[in-house]
Amino acid sequence: MLSPFGVDAGQVVDLASQAEHWGYDGVWTLDHLTGSMLGRGHSLDCFTLLGAIASATSRVRVGPMVANMMNRHPARLALAMATLQSLSHGRAVLGLGAGAAKGSRFALEQQAINARLLPGPDRRRYLAETAAALDYLWESRDSNSEAFAGEFFAIDGLGDVVGRTPRPQIIVGASGPQTAASARRWADGLNVLNGPRTEQALAAVAAVTRADHSQAASSETDPRGGSRPDQVRVPDDQFEVSVLYDLELDGPEAILAAPTTIGGME
């Protein structure tokens, strides 16, 4: 993880290149308007910085960890990620977050620009619908496609947003069990912020996986067959789970240790 706060963009890009040379598998940065809520200075723009990093590297995965869904309509997010996929030749990964909870330090940033703060259940539905809208934009690339109509978003007649770029993996950032459990059903992976509820979040992911196994076994003996509407998207051995430790971000040299990978769920 590279800090975007109070630093020169060129220094961060140079450090990303060094990280690739040192053998890191991925280079990530944060998505904020300012670092003031963390007692830091200004923030570099997440996707502009990642585009420069993608152009300066050739192997590492690159992406936001995480992009705040409340700051971008899914179409804008798809456009940014498709551009990053093009620049990185398919190495982009979308870290996606559920926005700030009321009363949290990150909520101050949203309040400063009069952005709405949703309660937890609404944010989780908004997060899942954002991912569904992204899937729609990658699957429906002409203006004659059937419209997308959800609780929060409607897309109709937009046309091609993503070109021929591959859909990026979606890694959900979570700090609690409800978001983690929801993400296990439709995301490609999970990045858990280390904290008092880390074990609960990991247990929730494991519980969803066990339930999916049980339902899959039941469906094998069900003569009606067919797919299950709550079936998880990604098999156990392909679902990435990692833990991000909250280390200090004190300058361009502040490259954090790579997230501790738990690996595929077993």
Side-chain angles (χ1 to χ4, degrees), residues 19-104:
E20 180 173 72
H21 176 72
W22 293 331
Y24 280 82
D25 294 321
V27 174
W28 323 101
T29 194
L30 306 173
D31 179 28
H32 287 285
L33 301 175
T34 175
S36 61
M37 84 297 296
L38 295 171
R40 303 290 184 255
H42 73 280
S43 180
L44 300 172
D45 176 72
C46 173
F47 282 105
T48 304
L49 182 61
L50 287 168
I53 289 172
S55 296
T57 57
S58 60
R59 178 184 57 80
V60 291
R61 297 192 297 173
V62 294
M65 194 61 73
V66 292
N68 185 345
M69 66 175 186
M70 301 304 297
N71 289 346
R72 297 176 185 84
H73 186 280
R76 291 187 178 277
L77 188 55
L79 181 61
M81 285 304 300
T83 303
L84 186 59
Q85 279 286 53
S86 180
L87 286 168
S88 67
H89 302 289
R91 292 179 286 127
V93 175
L94 174 58
L96 187 62
K102 291 183 179 180
S104 70

Side-chain angles (χ1 to χ4, degrees), residues 4-255:
F5 301 135
V7 294
D8 177 76
Q11 291 176 294
V12 180
V13 173
D14 289 344
L15 187 54
S17 182
Q18 283 296 315
E20 180 173 72
H21 176 72
W22 293 331
Y24 280 82
D25 294 321
V27 174
W28 323 101
T29 194
L30 306 173
D31 179 28
H32 287 285
L33 301 175
T34 175
S36 61
M37 84 297 296
L38 295 171
R40 303 290 184 255
H42 73 280
S43 180
L44 300 172
D45 176 72
C46 173
F47 282 105
T48 304
L49 182 61
L50 287 168
I53 289 172
S55 296
T57 57
S58 60
R59 178 184 57 80
V60 291
R61 297 192 297 173
V62 294
M65 194 61 73
V66 292
N68 185 345
M69 66 175 186
M70 301 304 297
N71 289 346
R72 297 176 185 84
H73 186 280
R76 291 187 178 277
L77 188 55
L79 181 61
M81 285 304 300
T83 303
L84 186 59
Q85 279 286 53
S86 180
L87 286 168
S88 67
H89 302 289
R91 292 179 286 127
V93 175
L94 174 58
L96 187 62
K102 291 183 179 180
S104 70
R105 58 182 173 174
F106 297 115
L108 299 175
E109 182 175 278
Q110 301 301 112
Q111 292 168 348
I113 60 171
N114 199 31
R116 59 177 172 169
L117 294 170
L118 300 175
D122 291 351
R123 286 191 295 118
R124 287 188 286 276
R125 295 199 310 277
Y126 195 105
L127 181 65
E129 189 170 309
T130 295
L134 291 172
D135 284 342
Y136 165 83
L137 290 166
W138 254 276
E139 294 167 0
S140 306
R141 306 192 189 202
D142 65 74
S143 57
N144 295 320
S145 299
E146 184 177 346
F148 179 91
E151 178 183 359
F152 302 100
F153 306 112
I155 305 171
D156 188 10
L158 183 60
D160 190 1
V161 174
V162 299
R164 297 184 178 180
T165 61
R167 173 195 173 277
Q169 282 186 305
I170 297 178
I171 307 296
V172 171
S175 59
Q178 294 92 343
T179 300
S182 173
R184 177 63 185 99
R185 295 183 175 91
W186 50 261
D188 300 289
L190 183 72
N191 182 257
V192 183
L193 180 63
N194 187 49
R197 297 193 295 167
T198 299
E199 293 300 325
Q200 295 177 38
L202 297 177
V205 170
V208 171
T209 301
R210 287 195 300 272
D212 182 71
H213 287 176
S214 177
Q215 292 170 14
S218 297
S219 66
E220 289 177 359
T221 60
D222 188 338
R224 293 172 297 180
S227 61
R228 294 175 288 113
D230 60 343
Q231 185 174 4
V232 298
R233 176 192 184 107
V234 176
D236 303 352
D237 60 350
Q238 297 176 27
F239 189 79
E240 294 186 26
V241 180
S242 59
V243 177
L244 178 65
Y245 289 88
D246 190 14
L247 304 182
E248 290 297 319
L249 296 165
D250 274 333
E253 71 284 356
I255 181 168

